[in-house]
Amino acid sequence: MNRVLLISFIIVLISACALIPQQQAQAPTQPAVQSTPGMVAELATLVANTAEIDEVIVVTMPPADDFFFQNGITLPAPVCSGLTPPQMEGPYYTPDTPERNSFLEEGMTGTRLLLVGYVLDQNCQPLPNVWLDFWQAGADGEYDNEGYRLRGHQFTDSQGRYFLETVLPGLYSSRPIEHIHVKVRPEGGAEVTSQLYFPDQPVEGLTVTLEARGDYLIGYFNFVVQR
Ligand code: FE
């Protein structure tokens, strides 16, 4: 009869590894230890070598400071159907934006939007360290063309993910459709300029999937770029 031992470890990869409380340790009589990937592998080998255990499954949890983990967001497995279509830059791009994942500022009005997703290559593989530069109008339909309000760049993380805390853009007279501008540049690949849209006025290949979460919206969108 097969017996499976399931070992769950939360590997905390923040600056210092977190201490495992004594009551959560495998052997309650042992002192609290620091968990490292090396120790997990060592313990897995040790357990696998015992006569009574046939299989060891090590479940690795995300680090505690992972934004997606903290916010209970699981990105759906990516599905790719061609490259993200390019669109015009428009007249309001400002270069040299600050690096940040949040455009939110004190007193900013509008419906809060958390934009999340992957940047993937042409083979649907996540790309880390991709430069993304977002810019948009505020809920009032106005761009900040003198400063950097609602403008900023960031890089995808080691799993090819990005996130942006912002607000839903408003309409402005010359563009009566809600949109967020973006530039995406993978390492060693060509830069793509495009725009994201919303389900009430969808644009093929560029429409964010929205999910209501309390008093804000989560917008899912994966970019697919040629590397
Ligand atoms: Fe625009």
Side-chain angles (χ1 to χ4, degrees):
M1 184 176 71
N2 281 346
R3 280 193 280 173
V4 176
L5 176 65
L6 175 64
I7 302 174
S8 297
F9 283 104
I10 297 176
I11 302 174
V12 182
L13 297 178
I14 47 180
S15 53
C17 294
L19 287 174
I20 298 177
Q22 187 164 346
Q23 65 271 21
Q24 292 178 4
Q26 290 289 314
T29 54
Q30 292 178 354
V33 295
Q34 285 189 306
S35 170
T36 68
M39 290 178 65
V40 173
E42 229 174 90
L43 183 57
T45 304
L46 184 69
V47 173
N49 286 340
T50 65
E52 298 180 348
I53 305 299
D54 299 322
E55 186 181 355
V56 175
I57 301 169
V58 177
V59 179
T60 305
M61 298 294 287
D65 64 345
D66 181 271
F67 178 87
F68 295 83
F69 179 69
Q70 284 178 340
N71 288 278
I73 296 169
T74 303
L75 295 182
V79 176
C80 299
S81 55
L83 300 175
T84 300
Q87 288 224 320
M88 63 175 182
E89 180 178 292
Y92 301 130
Y93 179 63
T94 301
D96 304 321
T97 56
E99 180 175 354
R100 55 184 174 185
N101 292 85
S102 178
F103 291 168
L104 300 181
E105 294 174 9
E106 190 80 27
M108 189 172 271
T109 58
T111 302
R112 198 179 138 213
L113 170 69
L114 176 56
L115 198 58
V116 295
Y118 290 103
V119 179
L120 306 150
D121 70 10
Q122 63 275 21
N123 299 314
C124 215
Q125 296 303 304
L127 290 172
N129 209 31
V130 176
W131 175 84
L132 298 127
D133 200 6
F134 292 97
W135 73 103
Q136 65 170 95
D140 56 1
E142 296 288 331
Y143 283 86
D144 176 6
N145 292 311
E146 289 164 10
Y148 293 98
R149 187 179 73 105
L150 294 164
R151 299 175 184 273
H153 75 273
Q154 60 175 281
F155 297 88
T156 53
D157 67 11
S158 61
Q159 298 178 48
R161 303 174 302 179
Y162 74 92
F163 70 89
L164 178 65
E165 294 181 282
T166 185
V167 292
L168 282 179
L171 301 175
Y172 53 98
S173 55
S174 59
R175 284 295 306 284
I177 182 169
E178 294 172 344
H179 62 280
I180 294 177
H181 296 267
V182 62
K183 288 178 181 285
V184 186
R185 187 172 62 231
E187 281 184 311
E191 183 174 298
V192 177
T193 299
S194 195
Q195 301 180 39
L196 302 182
Y197 298 89
F198 297 91
D200 54 346
Q201 292 172 285
V203 173
E204 189 171 355
L206 293 171
T207 303
V208 168
T209 300
L210 288 182
E211 173 190 311
R213 174 82 68 94
D215 62 350
Y216 67 98
L217 299 170
I218 300 180
Y220 297 91
F221 189 84
N222 293 336
F223 296 94
V224 184
V225 296
Q226 185 82 36
R227 188 168 60 140

